[in-house]
Amino acid sequence: MKTILLVEDTKVLLMIIKKKLTSRGYHVITALNGNEALLKLQAHPNIQMVLSDWIMPECDGIELCQQLKSPHYARYIFFVLLSARDDQDSIIEGINAGADDFIAKDTNIDELDARLQAGFRTLALNNELVKKNAELDSAYATIKQDLAAAGEFIKRLLPNDPHFARAELNYVSIPSAQIGGDMLGCMQLDENNVGIYLFDVAGHGVSSALMSFSVQQSISVSADSSSLVRQKTDKAPYYKITSPCQVIQQLNELYLSQEGSDLYFTMVYAILNTQTGMLSYAFAGHPPLVWMQNSKDKAVFVEQDSYVVGVFDFAEYTTRTIELAAGDKIWLYSDGITEAEKDSHQFSEARLKELIFDIREQPTSIQANTVINEVRSWQGKEQFDDDVSVLVFEWKGYPEGDEQCNTSSLKKTNTQYFK
């Protein structure tokens, strides 16, 4: 049964209207003024339809309407203003006060019933919307909680030990949302070689993060199984390290075969021989490395024209090699850094290279954070519009007591590449 709160200060008229409404099947609760109506609404939380007289003592219909339509009132009320005046100015005044409908007291019961039925239909739609919004809020809260858990899980995939034999690593990875498509890492391929990578999946959010996780798992390495970066063999030392270009080539073949996905990613994958300082690398459409040359006191780009991963079946990739000197540092980063904007201007690769040179005397252990803070300061805001990742590693030099030797021969003897 539909319940109406009828507010009328004239008792005789109150009883007449109540009788008419009851005859049409409504459950009618009455109040003699606005203050009493507020108490009745508090006592009956199910009431959402109020039919109120205009002129009443203590709290009239306009004042009551304004209180019930206040954003601070916890319940949605359909308010019908009942008045002996039906002139245009009165109607405008009532509607401006927040009334949903305006009915003259001499309106016949059929019209009054029709108006009330329309009001209840509006209430039903509103209540359904409130219910759906509550369900959406609950679903959003669950999704938010799940994303937060996923974000924490992805953080655990990032390197947790910045120190390797004769090498030191520092990085920062910040998703633009709770989870993102950037991933970086390093892995001990064998006693002398460390794999370092950074890739950037196109887009943001869940789909990019899932692909990022998939790629990271594809290139992870363990001692008892083969992976894209190290293959098991039957002869000692029972493995071969995959060259950087072949790692990316295999990733391209793998992700081209995944139907229904339009995602792709850029990547740089490198292998550092910590004994010799030889760095082998391959690009897949990724921004250039920055090589901070300690002995020459200059920063230079290391770049390579190449295709992104997961788009072109004809793409081929190339491994190249550079020789680091003691104290040299290599910087990997995603384009969220260089494409950070201020006044329609991007931070740019050139500005990043200058910044890396300017902070060259800082310890490696803090340099990635310094870069992030400088870019934030430059753009004038804390939040980045894109996922941001930056990784720097330093080669410390030859083992103490060893002399520099012919690294061109060591490149073949100390690193076994799987072609």
Side-chain angles (χ1 to χ4, degrees):
M1 184 178 292
K2 297 172 182 177
T3 302
I4 298 173
L5 175 62
L6 174 63
V7 190
E8 169 61 62
D9 64 317
T10 304
K11 292 184 178 181
V12 173
L13 189 55
L14 180 73
M15 296 304 298
I16 292 173
I17 298 174
K18 178 180 179 179
K19 183 177 180 181
K20 289 180 178 180
L21 293 175
T22 302
S23 68
R24 294 299 176 104
Y26 296 105
H27 176 223
V28 182
I29 296 174
T30 61
L32 295 173
N33 56 60
N35 288 337
E36 187 178 340
L38 291 171
L39 293 175
K40 290 293 179 69
L41 287 170
Q42 185 176 354
H44 299 275
N46 63 311
I47 298 176
Q48 288 187 275
M49 176 70 72
V50 174
L51 179 60
S52 175
D53 187 17
W54 185 316
I55 300 174
M56 297 180 295
E58 298 184 33
C59 177
D60 63 22
I62 294 293
E63 293 172 319
L64 175 61
C65 180
Q66 290 173 336
Q67 290 194 56
L68 297 182
K69 292 296 184 177
S70 165
H72 304 295
Y73 197 74
R75 194 186 328 170
Y76 178 73
I77 298 291
F78 193 91
F79 195 93
V80 181
L81 199 56
L82 190 63
S83 176
R85 300 183 296 175
D86 61 355
D87 58 282
Q88 187 176 28
D89 290 341
S90 298
I91 294 173
I92 292 174
E93 184 180 355
I95 297 299
N96 285 339
D100 297 289
D101 203 352
F102 186 97
I103 301 178
K105 285 186 176 181
D106 58 0
T107 300
N108 66 66
I109 185 59
D110 290 333
E111 181 181 346
L112 177 59
D113 186 24
R115 297 277 192 93
L116 292 174
Q117 290 291 351
F120 277 109
R121 287 195 294 272
T122 300
L123 280 173
L125 290 172
N126 173 81
N127 292 341
E128 182 65 20
L129 181 61
V130 169
K131 179 183 176 182
K132 294 294 184 184
N133 284 340
E135 292 173 354
L136 287 174
D137 287 343
S138 177
Y140 175 74
T142 300
I143 291 171
K144 188 176 181 180
Q145 184 177 7
D146 289 345
L147 288 175
E152 288 302 314
F153 174 75
I154 289 174
K155 285 180 182 179
R156 290 198 291 270
L157 298 177
L158 297 171
N160 55 18
D161 186 359
H163 300 286
F164 294 86
R166 290 174 288 285
E168 183 179 1
L169 174 80
N170 184 232
Y171 71 88
V172 174
S173 185
I174 305 172
S176 59
Q178 284 181 289
I179 53 177
D182 282 7
M183 180 62 72
L184 56 82
C186 56
M187 48 199 164
Q188 193 81 49
L189 300 174
D190 66 9
E191 183 179 356
N192 298 327
N193 293 283
V194 176
I196 304 111
Y197 61 87
L198 192 153
F199 57 85
D200 180 3
V201 179
H204 312 284
V206 175
S207 58
S208 296
L210 288 174
M211 186 174 187
S212 177
F213 173 74
S214 175
V215 176
Q216 199 274 344
Q217 292 300 107
S218 297
I219 60 177
S220 62
V221 62
S222 61
D224 57 353
S225 65
S226 294
S227 76
L228 295 186
V229 299
R230 195 176 71 177
Q231 300 290 317
K232 294 178 69 176
T233 65
D234 295 330
K235 298 179 180 179
Y238 304 107
Y239 68 87
K240 286 184 179 180
I241 295 173
T242 312
S243 65
C245 67
Q246 282 299 310
V247 170
I248 296 178
Q249 191 74 50
Q250 291 178 78
L251 286 171
N252 190 54
E253 294 168 0
L254 176 63
Y255 287 95
L256 272 172
S257 66
Q258 296 188 359
E259 297 182 1
S261 174
D262 57 357
L263 292 175
Y264 61 89
F265 59 94
T266 69
M267 183 176 191
V268 58
Y269 177 68
I271 298 174
L272 173 66
N273 186 308
T274 56
Q275 293 287 327
T276 67
M278 298 301 297
L279 182 76
S280 302
Y281 61 88
F283 283 78
H286 202 77
L289 304 175
V290 178
W291 180 6
M292 183 61 228
Q293 299 176 335
N294 181 52
S295 59
K296 298 180 181 179
D297 198 31
K298 68 176 181 179
V300 298
F301 285 126
V302 177
E303 51 193 324
Q304 186 183 74
D305 291 333
S306 54
Y307 295 100
V308 299
V309 175
V311 177
F312 305 108
D313 58 3
F314 56 81
E316 294 183 353
Y317 303 93
T318 304
T319 296
R320 293 179 181 169
T321 304
I322 58 177
E323 182 179 350
L324 305 185
D328 282 4
K329 298 175 184 178
I330 297 291
W331 290 79
L332 294 71
Y333 55 92
S334 62
D335 60 12
I337 288 279
T338 55
E339 294 179 2
E341 289 192 353
K342 179 180 72 173
D343 301 328
S344 300
H345 296 288
Q346 293 187 343
F347 190 76
S348 78
E349 293 167 358
R351 185 177 278 109
L352 176 61
K353 187 177 75 168
E354 292 175 5
L355 173 58
I356 288 171
F357 180 80
D358 291 341
I359 65 172
R360 63 192 182 282
E361 300 297 335
Q362 288 187 1
T364 302
S365 59
I366 66 170
Q367 284 189 316
N369 279 291
T370 299
V371 165
I372 293 295
N373 291 333
E374 288 294 330
V375 177
R376 279 174 169 159
S377 177
W378 175 85
Q379 71 175 2
K381 61 180 182 180
E382 286 291 310
Q383 185 67 30
F384 290 97
D385 297 325
D386 194 4
D387 302 331
V388 166
S389 293
V390 58
L391 180 153
V392 55
F393 65 89
E394 176 186 1
W395 185 57
K396 297 292 188 178
Y398 296 95
E400 186 176 351
D402 287 2
E403 295 182 1
Q404 184 169 353
C405 54
N406 186 346
T407 55
S408 61
S409 62
L410 282 170
K411 181 171 65 175
K412 294 183 178 179
T413 59
N414 287 347
T415 303
Q416 302 180 63
Y417 285 129
F418 178 79
K419 300 289 187 181

